[in-house]
């Protein structure tokens, strides 16, 4: 059964916004704990509001939901709930985005945010053997100056941060606006990724590569509109962290059958599957693998290649990558017996 195959396949998740894993049940629990008023009266009402027409219509609700996160324990509980869920999906390694500005702009200190998340990551290492990295994202609808201040505020926690990213509303906020803050991140020895080509044009992917010097593109599905760009991505073996359920929920593609992931895979791009904001888009890792497999009729070989790409594209050291690739090979060998 394909469900069981996907369940057992060892996976890495590289595109996950921790604020996007806030399930309505936890949102209500934290609202009560922190005496925060929510614009919804029930979990069902929240879920019913999750009908999006584009990225912005989602971001409005996503930033409002994050308003219940105030204390270290809230960030711990949020992260722990995600990690437990990912562990159940047989996810072995995660690289987690967080949006500090969503919190610091409400008066929550950087220390509170990072400490809560970090503690949960440590516990998952101890309890599940799950490895992880933390990636700090700058909100691109805010200024580069604000991003620079955010980076400075995070530097006391440099040891807990692996890299920086760029997210939020894409169109109208091209990567070129953030060249200096990414240069500063380079000086600090941080890895770099950026959302590009989700709703924005291929030009934004070129800028992320050439001006920001990223080592992965988040989403990147619009690269297929530009042949020269595809050649470049192939030449650099540049990974793309694709999020299929997110793309259909935000109407980048109307339905899964229209998604271009299989075409990307077939031209040889390093495509990975990820969940983006699972609480909002109706699914975690295995749900994304399954929906994509069904929509695009992916073979077991395709799924194995995608899972391997997740580890190849990770920031893990090479010996760990090799270990995970071997474990996928061992799993695959057992399937044909
Ligand atoms: N923040 C959370 N999810 C996002 C997405 N899919 N695109 C841009 N910013 C985001
Ligand atoms: Zn994202």
């Amino acid at each position: 059964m394909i469900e069981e195959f996907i369940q057992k396949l060892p996976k890495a998740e590289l595109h996950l916004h921790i604020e996007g894993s806030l399930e309505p049940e936890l949102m209500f629990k934290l609202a009560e704990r922190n005496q925060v008023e929510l614009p919804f009266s029930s979990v069902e009402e929240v879920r019913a509001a999750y009908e999006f027409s584009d990225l912005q219509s989602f971001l409005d609700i996503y930033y409002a939901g994050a308003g219940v996160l105030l204390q270290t324990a809230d960030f711990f509980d949020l992260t722990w709930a995600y990690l437990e869920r990912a562990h159940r999906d047989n996810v072995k390694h995660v690289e987690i985005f967080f949006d500090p500005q969503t919190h610091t702009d409400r008066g929550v200190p950087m220390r509170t945010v990072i400490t809560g998340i970090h503690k949960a990551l440590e516990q998952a290492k101890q309890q599940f053997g799950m490895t992880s990295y933390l990636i700090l994202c700058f909100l691109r609808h805010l200024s580069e100056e604000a991003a620079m201040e955010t980076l400075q505020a995070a530097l006391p926690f440099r040891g807990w941060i692996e890299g920086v990213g760029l997210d939020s509303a894409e169109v109208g906020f091209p990567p070129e606006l953030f060249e200096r803050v990414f240069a500063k991140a380079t000086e600090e020895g941080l890895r770099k990724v950026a959302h590009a080509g989700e709703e924005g044009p291929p030009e934004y992917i070129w800028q992320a590569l050439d001006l920001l010097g990223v080592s992965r593109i988040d989403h990147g599905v619009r690269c297929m509109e530009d042949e020269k760009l595809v050649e470049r991505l192939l030449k650099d073996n540049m990974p793309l962290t694709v999020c299929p359920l997110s793309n259909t929920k935000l109407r980048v593609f109307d339905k899964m059958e229209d998604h271009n992931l299989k075409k990307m895979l077939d031209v040889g791009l390093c495509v990975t599957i990820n969940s983006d904001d699972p609480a909002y888009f109706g699914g975690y890792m295995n749900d994304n693998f399954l929906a994509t497999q069904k929509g695009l009729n992916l073979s077991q070989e395709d799924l194995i290649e995608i899972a391997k790409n997740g580890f190849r594209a990770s920031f893990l050291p090479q010996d760990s990558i090799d270990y995970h690739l071997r474990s996928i090979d061992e799993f695959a060998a057992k399937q044909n017996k």
Side-chain angles (χ1 to χ4, degrees):
M1 243 190 7
I2 198 69
E3 283 83 356
E4 192 185 341
F5 179 90
I6 288 170
Q7 167 63 37
K8 289 189 174 158
L9 188 58
K11 289 165 291 282
E13 170 134 77
L14 306 179
H15 186 155
L16 179 281
H17 302 264
I18 200 63
E19 296 88 351
S21 71
L22 178 60
E23 292 286 349
E25 288 81 3
L26 184 58
M27 193 189 290
F28 270 87
K29 188 176 142 193
L30 297 183
E32 201 172 313
R33 184 154 101 190
N34 292 327
Q35 300 290 296
V36 174
E37 196 133 356
L38 285 174
F40 305 103
S41 61
S42 69
V43 163
E44 292 69 35
E45 206 184 299
V46 181
R47 285 224 162 82
Y50 292 175
E51 281 298 328
F52 311 114
S53 51
D54 58 10
L55 176 57
Q56 191 60 53
S57 66
F58 153 69
L59 290 172
D60 293 341
I61 288 193
Y62 162 85
Y63 292 130
V68 300
L69 300 162
L70 290 174
Q71 323 203 39
T72 304
D74 306 337
F75 290 93
F76 176 88
D77 290 350
L78 171 72
T79 309
W80 184 247
Y82 163 71
L83 294 167
E84 268 192 315
R85 185 67 186 73
H87 177 60
R88 278 195 271 135
D89 276 5
N90 204 24
V91 172
K92 304 292 190 190
H93 174 71
V94 295
E95 302 191 358
I96 292 185
F97 295 138
F98 73 120
D99 288 343
Q101 288 158 291
T102 302
H103 315 298
T104 53
D105 285 3
R106 296 181 289 116
V108 179
M110 180 70 82
R111 171 180 299 281
T112 300
V113 181
I114 298 196
T115 306
I117 299 172
H118 177 76
K119 275 189 184 160
L121 298 178
E122 281 293 301
Q123 187 165 311
K125 180 88 208 300
Q126 299 299 323
Q127 214 163 305
F128 307 140
M130 190 191 284
T131 51
S132 58
Y133 292 125
L134 198 49
I135 299 176
L136 180 161
C137 281
F138 305 118
L139 297 182
R140 68 205 301 164
H141 69 274
L142 301 177
S143 69
E144 186 181 48
E145 203 177 23
M148 197 67 93
E149 282 166 18
T150 303
L151 180 56
Q152 287 294 350
L155 286 181
F157 309 95
R158 171 68 187 84
W160 292 351
I161 299 171
E162 183 69 14
V164 298
L166 186 67
D167 66 359
S168 193
E170 188 183 7
V171 175
F173 303 98
E176 65 182 351
L177 298 172
F178 296 89
E179 215 179 324
R180 282 152 298 264
V181 73
F182 272 69
K184 172 74 178 157
T186 309
E187 276 172 30
E188 297 295 336
L190 289 155
R191 316 260 201 174
K192 293 165 293 172
V193 298
H195 283 54
E198 177 186 17
E199 283 189 346
E203 169 60 19
Y204 287 20
I205 302 177
W206 283 108
Q207 288 184 13
L209 298 172
D210 291 335
L211 304 180
L212 306 187
V214 299
S215 47
R216 287 198 301 249
I217 296 286
D218 296 314
H219 293 292
V221 291
R222 288 195 60 192
C223 72
M224 297 298 275
E225 296 168 27
D226 181 341
E227 237 174 78
K228 285 253 157 6
L229 177 56
V230 172
E231 274 171 31
R232 167 72 183 278
L233 294 168
L234 287 171
K235 181 170 78 65
D236 291 357
N237 200 21
M238 180 64 54
L240 300 135
T241 63
V242 179
C243 308
L245 283 174
S246 164
N247 292 154
T248 50
K249 267 287 193 181
L250 301 186
R251 313 306 296 263
V252 173
F253 300 96
D254 285 338
K255 50 187 194 305
M256 199 58 85
E257 288 74 12
D258 299 336
H259 201 292
N260 64 1
L261 180 141
K262 172 74 174 149
K263 291 192 191 89
M264 293 168 79
L265 198 63
D266 287 348
V267 298
L269 289 168
C270 181
V271 174
T272 69
I273 287 185
N274 310 271
S275 69
D276 206 7
D277 302 283
Y280 293 87
F281 301 148
Y284 288 79
M285 276 293 265
N286 290 352
D287 303 312
N288 271 277
F289 268 78
L290 188 61
T292 315
Q293 189 279 326
K294 288 202 182 312
L296 301 177
N297 199 22
L298 299 182
S299 65
Q300 290 194 356
E301 289 68 31
D302 291 331
L303 296 172
I304 286 169
E305 192 60 18
I306 293 166
K308 283 187 169 183
N309 284 344
F311 291 104
R312 292 177 181 127
S314 75
F315 294 141
L316 282 167
Q318 192 59 48
D319 60 337
S320 304
I321 294 175
D322 292 342
Y323 165 83
H324 289 293
L325 296 181
R326 273 198 307 276
S327 78
I328 293 180
D329 281 334
E330 282 161 20
F331 161 76
K334 270 193 241 154
Q335 301 308 304
N336 302 324
K337 281 203 189 131

